[in-house]
Each structure stands twice: as structure tokens, then as C-alpha cells.
Amino acid sequence: MSKADSQTLAEKSLLDLIIRTLNLEIQSDAVDPKDALYDEGLGLDSIDMLEIALAVSQTYGVKLNADDENNLKIFSSLRSLSSFIEQHRSK
Amino acid sequence: MSRTLSQEQLWLQRSERGTASVIRLVVWVALRLGRPVARALLWPVCAYFVTFSPQSRMASRDYLTRILARRPHLGDLFRHYFTFAACVLDRVYLLNDQLDRFDIEVHGEPLVLDALQGGDGCFLFGAHLGSFEVLRSLGRRQPGIQVSLVMYEDNARKINAVLNAINPALAMDIIALGRSGSMIGVESRLAQGHCIGLLVDRGLKGEGMVRRDFLGAPANFPLGPFRMAILLQRPVVVMFGLYRGGRRYEVHFERLTQAGEAGAETISVDQLLDRYVARLEHYCRLAPFNWFNFYDFWH
């Protein structure tokens, strides 16, 4: 069973956005939505995170708040970021 | 690469371990006994470190050999250490708003105001060259300018503790690196019209580094800050606060992206980094003993 089977549709389209934005050379179905985005996991760095945040606000109209204590949690995995977006999206 | 990285981290760690207690002592001596006495004490302190810190001595000798283009003698090494120690000491006074003690010559100040004119903030890229704290003189002359510094989380915590010890009234806005949401903080500060200050000659663990010729040999530079500037399309200003001996400081501002370049969007990340490295080299040559990276920079 590929890991993509466990991705929801929303997670899949967010992952596609991330891969496109950062020109990542990974297959989207190889990503477990519960894997960490930062450091280990997808191995993204803090500037990558910034790029994702900008792309997310453009695409979904979700503004990520700088001083939000939850940022660490929101960005911890594809799943957490996706569910945050689904709750707050305006586009 | 992993060996050299860990060497750098070792140096960072080592200097951190020393700092906590040393800084408290330095602050006490500086404020209670005054600058002349404190400076006199720097002589034995520097003699001690020149003698008993073989690794930083080696790094100092390596750097000085490159910049002076000759074999440095003991006096050069001592001067290098002393310049560093003098700047550390003066930080106490600068952070304590005792700016009148110093002759601070500022070059290119209008460039910063110019870069901030759009109201969208700008980046201030510095280096571990001289004193970043003299930037405070700018803040005082131009009270409208707000500076947020981006730094390592550990350092941020420590610096805040030190600031409290020196002058609790100092509200230094520090964005801690190393958390996944930290860069978003940069964007929102910019939107409020802040300057974002970073020392971009050193990298962050785990972030991309690239090689660039610096003083005649390839050295590692972090790509992150330059990517960030391009990504957020803000003007980039370099800032170097050079210590010129006695009570003299020279602050230099230069636009790294020109006004016509509409922030940073028309030049590439590589070009921006190349420009920075060229300016860093220029100011190193202008004030050779201000280089405060006491580890093997060219590993």
C-alpha cells in the first residue's frame, strides 16, 4: 500500500502545492502525511517554511500569524498544516 | 563537511559556555569601575586568551595571514583579540545608551531611510565584523526606525538575559531562529515597516550553505537569508559597524539592491550573495582586526 492512500484529498493538493513551490524532487505518494515537514521527514529548512507560508496564503487565503504559539504545531506535519488550512481557508 | 560544521558548533558552544558568567562580570566591571579601568583589564584577559586558546589562535593567525598577506606576528594576534574584547566591552555602554561616550561616524544613513520609504521595511545584513550594537546609534538619531534582530534561539534567550542585566528598559525585538514558524515572524515585522537585522556570515545548522571565494579561498556562506530577501522582495542594506580604536566607531550602510531593482525581485539569490561577499571583503580590508569569527572560516 503506498503512503498516498493515507493522504486525504486536501492533503494531497497541499502537498502538490509544496512540491511545486519548492521544486522538490520527491514523489507525492511517497509522503506520509504524519511525517515531519521540518528537519527530518521532508528535510525542509526555515526559509522553505516561509515559502510554504506565502504560497498557502496566496492559494488558500489563509494568513499564518507570526506570533501564534501554535505555528510549531501547525507546521509539524502535512496533516496538521492541511487541517489548519481547511479550518481557516477563505479561497 | 560534517567535521567542519561540528567544529564551528564547538566554537559557538564553547564561547557560549564562557559568556554567561563572564558577561555578568564584564558588565559589573564596566559600569562600576568605568571604561578606562575595564580597558586596562582587557590586556591581561587578552594575554590569557592568546596564550590558552590554541584553536581560536590558529583561526586568528589563518585569517590574519590572508588579510595582511604576510605572516602575522604576536602583536597582530594580540591586536586582533584586543579589538574583539574592546568591542565586547563597549557593547555594555552601547546597550546602556551611553552613546555620548563614543565618536560614531555614520556613512550612508539616508540610504536606510530611503529603503524604508515604502513603509514595507527592509533587510539589514551585517556580519561578525566589528560591532552590530552601534546600530543603536541609528535608532536614537532616527527614533522612527525599528529594528528586529534575527538570531539563534539559544543566543536570543541569553541576550535577553544579558539585556535585562544591563538595562531592563531595552526593548530589543528578537526573532528566534530554529523554529519552523520563525520566518513568518520576519514577514509580519516587515509589514509593520521594521528593519530586519541579520548577521549573515554564519550559517544555521542544517540549512543550506554555499561556497564563495572570500579573501582568496572558498568559504561557506548561508544561502537562507539571501533567499529570504528575494522571496519577500524587500530592499537589502548592508551594515558594518567598524571599531577604529579609542572611542571611535564608523558605521557604514550600503544598498545591496538598488532602488531601481524594486526591492530584490529583479536580481537572483546568487547575485545578491556575490554582492554581499564582495562588500564584506571590502570592509574586512578597511578594518582587518574587526573580524570576529574566531574559528576556521575556510574549512
Side-chain angles (χ1 to χ4, degrees):
Chain A
M1 195 173 100
S2 104
K3 289 175 175 171
D5 296 341
S6 56
Q7 293 170 10
T8 65
L9 269 175
E11 286 166 359
K12 195 165 167 37
S13 76
L14 172 63
L15 181 59
D16 286 341
L17 175 71
I18 292 175
I19 290 174
R20 245 181 304 128
T21 305
L22 300 175
N23 284 323
L24 296 179
E25 287 173 5
I26 51 165
Q27 295 299 316
S28 61
D29 54 10
V31 175
D32 186 325
K34 294 192 291 299
D35 277 351
L37 293 172
Y38 205 54
D39 285 340
E40 300 93 23
L42 280 187
L44 305 182
D45 64 26
S46 52
I47 312 291
D48 294 328
M49 292 299 175
L50 177 65
E51 274 196 80
I52 294 175
L54 292 176
V56 161
S57 85
Q58 271 166 21
T59 311
Y60 298 99
V62 175
K63 192 94 189 84
L64 291 143
N65 191 337
D67 301 311
D68 196 333
E69 298 270 310
N70 295 319
N71 274 340
L72 205 60
K73 226 163 85 192
I74 294 165
F75 276 93
S76 65
S77 68
L78 182 63
R79 176 147 293 166
S80 58
L81 182 58
S82 178
S83 81
F84 179 83
I85 291 169
E86 292 310 306
Q87 283 164 40
H88 295 89
R89 64 186 294 176
S90 62
K91 287 187 196 172
Chain B
M1 175 98 176
S2 62
R3 182 189 65 85
T4 48
L5 249 185
S6 69
Q7 209 181 53
E8 177 179 337
Q9 262 137 38
L10 235 123
W11 184 80
L12 293 174
Q13 244 175 34
R14 193 151 32 98
S15 55
E16 274 172 27
R17 197 184 324 138
T19 33
S21 48
V22 171
I23 285 176
R24 267 195 296 275
L25 182 67
V26 170
V27 170
W28 188 87
V29 170
L31 296 181
R32 290 299 175 87
L33 305 182
R35 193 166 180 260
V37 175
R39 276 174 74 89
L41 287 173
L42 294 183
W43 290 81
V45 169
C46 289
Y48 175 87
F49 281 106
V50 171
T51 315
F52 295 109
S53 62
Q55 268 186 346
S56 9
R57 191 175 60 226
M58 236 153 60
S60 165
R61 183 175 288 134
D62 178 34
Y63 163 78
L64 290 173
T65 306
R66 291 172 200 274
I67 194 91
L68 302 175
R70 61 168 167 81
R71 225 182 118 71
H73 45 75
L74 194 61
D76 295 320
L77 290 177
F78 192 86
R79 188 173 166 195
H80 194 194
Y81 275 67
F82 192 89
T83 308
F84 175 60
C87 282
V88 172
L89 174 67
D90 283 347
R91 283 173 78 176
V92 176
Y93 303 110
L94 290 164
L95 289 170
N96 217 11
D97 276 344
Q98 300 187 14
L99 289 161
D100 299 333
R101 286 178 171 277
F102 302 102
D103 285 331
I104 303 175
E105 199 180 296
V106 184
H107 300 260
E109 189 175 334
L111 298 178
V112 185
L113 300 175
D114 197 44
L116 288 170
Q117 226 173 23
D120 287 329
C122 73
F123 285 103
L124 272 182
F125 284 179
H128 294 83
L129 181 74
S131 173
F132 203 71
E133 306 299 344
V134 286
L135 186 60
R136 296 198 157 266
S137 62
L138 178 76
R140 193 160 96 164
R141 289 150 59 119
Q142 308 285 348
I145 295 184
Q146 304 232 43
V147 180
S148 303
L149 288 182
V150 179
M151 57 178 70
Y152 294 97
E153 202 165 8
D154 287 351
N155 282 352
R157 211 175 16 243
K158 202 164 53 222
I159 289 204
N160 271 331
V162 172
L163 287 183
N164 271 328
I166 297 176
N167 181 357
L170 281 181
M172 175 75 111
D173 188 27
I174 293 174
I175 304 170
L177 267 183
R179 290 180 306 166
S180 34
S182 60
M183 284 299 155
I184 304 166
V186 171
E187 200 210 353
S188 74
R189 280 349 180 276
L190 284 168
Q192 293 162 27
H194 285 207
C195 294
I196 302 290
L198 295 106
L199 302 182
V200 298
D201 53 339
R202 286 186 203 161
L204 185 65
K205 170 180 70 168
E207 312 253 310
M209 301 288 281
V210 286
R211 306 282 279 175
R212 281 293 186 280
D213 272 343
F214 179 63
L215 299 176
N220 285 332
F221 288 91
L223 205 53
F226 301 92
R227 282 174 59 205
M228 181 165 66
I230 299 282
L231 197 64
L232 296 174
Q233 299 180 2
R234 295 306 204 283
V236 181
V237 176
V238 285
M239 179 270 178
F240 299 106
L242 307 176
Y243 179 54
R244 300 308 236 157
R247 29 183 246 121
R248 283 173 300 123
Y249 280 88
E250 236 175 65
V251 182
H252 293 266
F253 293 104
E254 266 184 53
R255 285 288 291 257
L256 212 54
T257 53
Q258 293 311 309
E261 287 171 325
E265 61 192 339
T266 55
I267 70 164
S268 72
V269 175
D270 284 333
Q271 278 174 315
L272 193 61
L273 175 60
D274 286 342
R275 287 185 191 178
Y276 173 78
V277 174
R279 294 330 285 158
L280 181 61
E281 184 161 325
H282 170 82
Y283 285 105
C284 276
R285 293 197 187 283
L286 201 62
F289 295 93
N290 276 246
W291 178 254
F292 299 152
N293 288 309
F294 285 91
Y295 63 88
D296 183 10
F297 198 76
W298 285 265
H299 45 59

